[in-house]
Amino acid sequence: MDVILITIGDEILIGRTVDTNSAWMAAELNVLGLTVREILSVADEGPAIVEAVERSLDRAELVLLTGGLGPTRDDITKKTLADFFGMALVEHQGVLQEVERLLKKWGRPLNLLNRSVALMPEGADILLNRRGTAPAMWFERNNRVLVSMPGVPHEMRHLMTEQVLPALQKRFELPPIQHRHLLTAGIGESQIAEKVADLEEALPPHIKLAYLPSLGQVKLRLTGKGADAQALGTELQGWLDQFRARIADYVHGLDNSSLEEGVLERLAARRWQLGIAESCTGGKIGARLTRVPGSSAWFRGGVTAYSYEAKSSLLGVNPETLAHYGAVSEQTVQEMLTGALRVFDADIAAAVSGIAGPDGGTEDKPVGTVYIGVATRDGFSHVKRVQFPGDRAANMEWSTVAALNMLRRLMDGALG
Amino acid sequence: MDVILITIGDEILIGRTVDTNSAWMAAELNVLGLTVREILSVADEGPAIVEAVERSLDRAELVLLTGGLGPTRDDITKKTLADFFGMALVEHQGVLQEVERLLKKWGRPLNLLNRSVALMPEGADILLNRRGTAPAMWFERNNRVLVSMPGVPHEMRHLMTEQVLPALQKRFELPPIQHRHLLTAGIGESQIAEKVADLEEALPPHIKLAYLPSLGQVKLRLTGKGADAQALGTELQGWLDQFRARIADYVHGLDNSSLEEGVLERLAARRWQLGIAESCTGGKIGARLTRVPGSSAWFRGGVTAYSYEAKSSLLGVNPETLAHYGAVSEQTVQEMLTGALRVFDADIAAAVSGIAGPDGGTEDKPVGTVYIGVATRDGFSHVKRVQFPGDRAANMEWSTVAALNMLRRLMDGALG
């Protein structure tokens, strides 16, 4: 079934706002087995909206519209759609109550402007918005559906997840779907594809595999369709386990958890305290870990030793080691690890030193050369030399992911 | 003059990729005085591309197409456009040489696949791409222009800036434009608007002011149009100085320099070494500074002391200070500053300690309470308490920007 997405908003056409709503919606619809045929952004003007809507309804069974709603702007889109579908605007009690509830919560008075938000096209289905004042409006004509939603991302996502997607499944009798995720790091999309090629081949038609790569990480998504939710769940779990077995060393989590969350969960399980010694990553590793609420329970801190002096004074790296092997060397990273364990009185530590670029590369240590290491209080340590191909920003990002992943692998017993 | 932007790519329609190209292009075209009427994303298929191109050329004088080009995929778009404009594909020597040059640089062989990249529609203008193998193709029909570019963002931006935008100015005889930027931090869009309201009023019609806000920072852009480049430059400079005078304390740079670059430039000017002591920002300040190539010359390093122990052992914060005033206090930040100056043997230091959330807030120190301080070797220090309204991520980001900006203000003599 074909879908067209329309985003309304001048701010998109002048480049002030990037349309992130469409990508999110497209991914969600795709999971339901719906095909987005076209994504369209048009101006905040009646004629432009009518033209886009008319054209889209001719070419797709479902049209989803975002933007152009809300206390100050709802008039254009709402009025335009009401006229287009030949409906009058009448005050909707449910919406009015919801608006009053929200304004009370926000401590704001109900003025005429807000009151106009409760005017709804008579005959459209109204899906209340618990996150904002503008609800979604569901229109039908010759068996085709148009749903209009506010453009504020968190309101749109809430309305889609809670109301629109379930309603679409019902209306178009789409088979219920489920998805499961395998989160990997330290392995590329193509390497995974090789390792699981035969499994992917063997997947039944109602189960699909998708690769969702990001810098240094790849998320595998298994999506299944089937009426019997329990049977499907069991079946998906079976496949998930098989895929996981093939790439076990690289899996840091399931479904919705980030690599840093995976590291912190493993620290919590062992009640281990972590200390970090950074150089070329400049603090990024600590910044990633501390994004996670509650990270302070297991992350003692980090030292970013960007200079020789700091490496020696703060981490106790021997100046002779630096002079003899250089800051970017296995020996220096070993001593950074020892220092991090000591200064943070940590159970486990990670250290990184490398040449992010663009300058500083040498014949035997070109830009992108990075030494990454982990060590534990009981004396185990592991240091690896890696060669990253990117620019400064990418090399810093890859080094950060690689260090977090090495911590994860150590705690998974994958470093031997 | 109306413009339509078309993005080609299945990855956008399934939500794997967010279309950031269109927003960037729209902003650039807007500056030239061109109006983007519609932004369109379609599938990587001949019929879909033809339909979109045909419809767009009927409705706009200029159509810019991105995506669907490149070593592995160029066949569809390129072939489709060649057919659409009734052109044959012939090998283009300039492109072939460029491809060979790039492959040599990347150390890859020239295979048939790459060679096909050099096949170009006979009669289209070819704009060479110094950043990748696929050039831009410029087509004309009944006085309307269509330009097709690769979708890789940095390649597209390079082609647009270096070739397409100048060519468009020439082709459509657009008045030459110039823009200047004032980069501010620590002041909101609306506050700036108040301070410069009368100046904004007084701007002549050929000079426009735009506010480009980002978390904690606002960029002011003055855009002028005029045939006499030198006169316009002088005029813009005059306005820039007037606007700057109104918000001098908040301006950290001009045109293209980030806040962290502004800090590093000021450090370089004084030949000062910087040390950082972080807590709630978790390493973000160091991460921001070290994004800048060459930052190692002036950034000695940072300590992220996430635990009481680390604050004491690494920075020498008195345990009694922590016990009596707490980690989030003026006294603790003062001692963190002293410690940072000492351990990094630094000329200037910044320190941050706060409650990023979601937990850890108290009656007198709610979530978002952050103490930010700067100090110099000669004994000057300044600590400020700030209350940020955001969630954990936003509070961390704001704290980072605020600390960098306080360093900048100290070196600008704005802290008294």
Side-chain angles (χ1 to χ4, degrees), chain A residues 13 15-16 23 26 38-41 51 55 59 211-213 282 286-287 290-291 300-302 304 306-307 314 344 392, chain B residues 13 15-16 23 26-27 36 38-41 51 55 59 211 282 286-287 290-291 300-302 304 306-307 314 344 392:
Chain A
L13 296 181
R16 279 285 294 272
E38 198 172 291
I39 297 172
L40 198 61
S41 300
E51 187 202 19
R55 206 170 67 214
R59 299 156 61 239
Y211 295 83
L212 311 174
T290 53
R291 283 201 304 213
R300 283 250 167 98
T304 300
Y306 224 53
S307 63
L314 281 166
F344 292 109
R392 183 179 180 85
Chain B
L13 296 182
R16 280 279 294 271
V36 174
E38 196 172 292
I39 297 172
L40 197 60
S41 299
E51 188 202 20
R55 206 170 66 213
R59 300 160 57 242
Y211 295 83
T290 54
R291 284 201 302 212
R300 283 250 167 97
T304 301
Y306 224 52
S307 62
L314 281 166
F344 291 109
R392 182 179 181 87

Side-chain angles (χ1 to χ4, degrees), chain B residues 177-255:
Chain B
I177 64 103
Q178 295 178 39
H179 34 102
R180 300 297 310 279
H181 298 89
L182 276 180
L183 311 174
T184 74
I187 181 170
E189 188 174 350
S190 53
Q191 293 164 278
I192 297 177
E194 276 175 33
K195 291 178 184 289
V196 301
D198 57 321
L199 288 176
E200 198 171 350
E201 272 300 309
L203 282 173
H206 64 287
I207 298 183
K208 300 238 172 299
L209 174 71
Y211 295 83
L212 311 173
S214 63
L215 212 55
Q217 301 184 58
V218 178
K219 184 192 275 194
L220 290 193
R221 185 180 68 200
L222 281 170
T223 303
K225 282 187 209 168
D228 181 340
Q230 194 172 2
L232 179 59
T234 318
E235 191 182 8
L236 278 175
Q237 185 63 52
W239 286 104
L240 192 78
D241 295 340
Q242 288 192 65
F243 278 94
R244 182 176 194 157
R246 295 293 179 81
I247 48 175
D249 276 6
Y250 305 96
V251 174
H252 67 71
L254 295 180
D255 301 318

Side-chain angles (χ1 to χ4, degrees), chain A residues 30-79:
Chain A
N30 197 250
V31 163
L32 290 187
L34 303 178
T35 310
V36 174
R37 176 172 168 181
E38 198 172 291
I39 297 172
L40 198 61
S41 300
V42 299
D44 238 316
E45 297 152 6
I49 296 171
V50 169
E51 187 202 19
V53 165
E54 206 145 34
R55 206 170 67 214
S56 303
L57 282 173
D58 287 344
R59 299 156 61 239
E61 289 94 329
L62 172 63
V63 176
L64 296 179
L65 205 67
T66 56
L69 296 177
T72 58
R73 304 164 45 202
D74 62 344
D75 36 358
I76 305 158
T77 308
K78 200 166 62 178
K79 183 86 177 54

Side-chain angles (χ1 to χ4, degrees), chain B residues 51-129:
Chain B
E51 188 202 20
V53 165
E54 206 145 34
R55 206 170 66 213
S56 303
L57 282 174
D58 288 345
R59 300 160 57 242
E61 290 93 330
L62 172 64
V63 177
L64 296 180
L65 206 67
T66 56
L69 296 177
T72 59
R73 302 166 45 203
D74 63 345
D75 36 356
I76 305 158
T77 308
K78 199 165 61 181
K79 183 88 180 53
T80 305
L81 291 174
D83 294 349
F84 179 81
F85 288 101
M87 298 173 175
L89 288 173
V90 296
E91 192 163 82
H92 187 287
Q93 287 316 308
V95 177
L96 188 60
Q97 284 162 21
E98 191 57 21
V99 171
E100 281 166 341
R101 185 186 70 81
L102 281 166
L103 293 175
K104 195 148 171 260
K105 187 175 149 205
W106 297 337
R108 301 219 216 94
L110 177 71
N111 58 31
L112 272 177
L113 196 62
N114 307 122
R115 209 175 169 89
S116 76
V117 175
L119 293 176
M120 290 290 135
E122 193 167 25
D125 283 339
I126 303 306
L127 311 176
L128 292 182
N129 174 3

